[in-house]
Amino acid sequence: MQLLVYILVYPLLWLVSRLPFKVIYFLSDGIYLLLYQVVGYRKKVVRNNLALVFPNKSEEERLAIEKKFYRHMCDMFMEMIKTMGISEKELQKRFTFTNLEVLHQLEAQNKSIMLMFPHYASWEWAIALDRHIKSKGYGIYQKIGNKYFDKLIRDIRQKYGTTLITTKETRELVAKNKKDDILSMYGILSDQSPMVKKALLWTPFMGINVPAHTGAEMLCRKLDLPAVYLKVSKLKRGHYQGTFSVLTEHPKELEEFDITKAFLKKVEESIYEAPEYYFWTHKRWKHKDKAPRVFNNDMIERLAD
């Protein structure tokens, strides 16, 4: 069944990926009308999320954000498909960087880097970064259930040099690269909701107490990796800009969870700046009422293993 679905869908994806951007965005407008106006895809989730984190905004203001978000989400979906057929020259023109020297300075010190960023604006086109660094670039991702589409995603994201590794492979590979002195950069999306039973940290995010992913921070602290935040701004339709800021060069000198909290603060700044580009269809705050009252040392050690 997985192969059949792939055989039926792949030709359509390939065809769309070869279309010019004008046609891509024309189709995106049509998908927006269908998805938002007719189907109402996850509209209740989006409205609940916006009402939760923006209680001081009027319904009209939140509705405006909602509509802009759905338009952007449809654009991003079509841009993901377009990545199959986009040229490197076109990708570099559409995803630029303002301060690559931040990464180059760390590389000059022979430091591998943990690059943390959220599901905001465009994370798929961040693969454009690989051509600007000396490090071996890795993208950490969740494996897809359909093995054929999983391979397709890997092929697309690896087409310009980035190597994809699953979350299960990450710890061992990062440790091996550190031991073998392989200069590396690890891109990880760290803003979504982890499994409650594995959450070591509950912290305010957009004013709501939620569980937070701490895997990136744990690797930084264990292997002494600098943590860098990638802020992505949408300049106009189909054009994005990345800006880097160092969260810490010396993770072992910080208090536990300081890196994760600093990362979430940066994500909040982006959301407040332009909320329509955040991934509102995800149930990020679904566990807000399940925070444990205490964590004991035995629990933390068990979850960290």
Side-chain angles (χ1 to χ4, degrees):
M1 180 59 72
Q2 288 188 355
L3 179 59
L4 177 61
V5 172
Y6 179 77
I7 291 173
L8 292 174
V9 174
Y10 178 79
L12 178 61
L13 297 178
W14 186 92
L15 177 63
V16 171
S17 73
R18 269 60 185 179
L19 296 173
F21 272 98
K22 286 186 178 180
V23 179
I24 289 286
Y25 291 125
F26 176 78
L27 292 175
S28 178
D29 289 339
I31 294 172
Y32 163 76
L33 291 175
L34 177 65
L35 209 63
Y36 181 71
Q37 303 289 1
V38 179
V39 177
Y41 172 72
R42 289 208 166 192
K43 191 180 288 187
K44 184 178 179 180
V45 173
V46 173
R47 287 187 177 173
N48 287 342
N49 283 342
L50 290 173
L52 188 66
V53 302
F54 294 121
N56 295 327
K57 289 186 180 295
S58 66
E59 288 189 19
E60 290 76 14
E61 289 174 314
R62 292 198 295 266
L63 183 60
I65 295 171
E66 177 184 301
K67 291 180 178 179
K68 289 178 182 178
F69 160 70
Y70 274 95
R71 287 190 178 278
H72 168 70
M73 183 180 69
C74 293
D75 279 1
M76 190 178 61
F77 172 72
M78 296 302 292
E79 289 165 3
M80 289 169 61
I81 298 174
K82 179 64 178 175
T83 309
M84 291 176 61
I86 196 171
S87 68
E88 183 179 356
K89 181 179 179 181
E90 185 73 20
L91 178 64
Q92 295 295 337
K93 183 178 75 172
R94 289 177 173 272
F95 200 114
T96 58
F97 302 93
T98 64
N99 59 342
L100 287 162
E101 65 274 8
V102 171
L103 303 183
H104 296 160
Q105 288 169 6
L106 292 171
E107 288 180 324
Q109 300 173 52
N110 199 37
K111 291 184 175 182
S112 293
I113 299 167
M114 184 66 69
L115 187 66
M116 303 171 67
F117 50 107
H119 290 83
Y120 183 90
S122 174
W123 54 91
E124 290 291 337
W125 283 359
I127 58 174
L129 177 61
D130 197 79
R131 290 293 190 244
H132 299 281
I133 58 175
K134 296 179 181 179
S135 307
K136 182 171 177 56
Y138 293 90
I140 301 169
Y141 86 114
Q142 283 279 5
K143 193 171 184 179
I144 298 174
N146 186 309
K147 64 180 181 180
Y148 302 101
F149 281 106
D150 183 72
K151 183 181 183 302
L152 177 62
I153 291 295
R154 293 176 70 97
D155 290 344
I156 293 171
R157 293 176 177 175
Q158 294 180 149
K159 66 186 297 185
Y160 297 123
T162 300
T163 299
L164 256 63
I165 54 175
T166 65
T167 51
K168 292 183 178 180
E169 300 170 316
T170 301
R171 183 183 298 186
E172 183 177 346
L173 184 137
V174 175
K176 184 178 185 301
N177 284 352
K178 178 75 172 181
K179 180 181 178 181
D180 296 342
D181 199 26
I182 298 174
L183 192 64
S184 306
M185 187 174 300
Y186 308 97
I188 183 169
L189 293 157
S190 299
D191 62 308
Q192 298 299 289
S193 185
M195 294 176 63
V196 171
K197 65 181 180 180
K198 292 186 177 182
L200 295 177
L201 172 66
W202 289 74
T203 187
F205 177 56
M206 298 299 290
I208 312 298
N209 201 39
V210 294
H213 278 289
T214 56
E217 172 171 344
M218 288 182 175
L219 286 172
C220 288
R221 291 171 64 87
K222 183 177 181 179
L223 301 172
D224 200 28
L225 301 177
V228 176
Y229 178 73
L230 171 60
K231 174 186 177 181
V232 180
S233 302
K234 187 170 185 176
L235 305 179
K236 60 181 180 179
R237 202 173 200 183
H239 291 265
Y240 304 90
Q241 188 176 74
T243 300
F244 305 97
S245 57
V246 177
L247 299 177
T248 181
E249 289 191 43
H250 308 286
K252 292 185 177 181
E253 296 179 3
L254 299 183
E255 294 293 325
E256 192 172 27
F257 304 134
D258 277 358
I259 296 174
T260 303
K261 291 176 182 178
F263 164 74
L264 291 175
K265 182 175 175 59
K266 289 290 186 182
V267 179
E268 287 179 338
E269 290 173 1
S270 292
I271 294 174
Y272 284 123
E273 185 177 303
E276 61 269 26
Y277 302 138
Y278 191 59
F279 200 47
W280 294 108
T281 51
H282 186 82
K283 297 180 180 180
R284 180 62 185 93
W285 294 271
K286 63 183 177 181
H287 299 308
K288 59 185 176 66
D289 299 321
K290 299 178 182 178
R293 294 185 178 181
V294 294
F295 268 119
N296 58 50
N297 291 332
D298 289 340
M299 183 185 297
I300 291 176
E301 289 175 4
R302 176 169 51 83
L303 289 173
D305 287 338

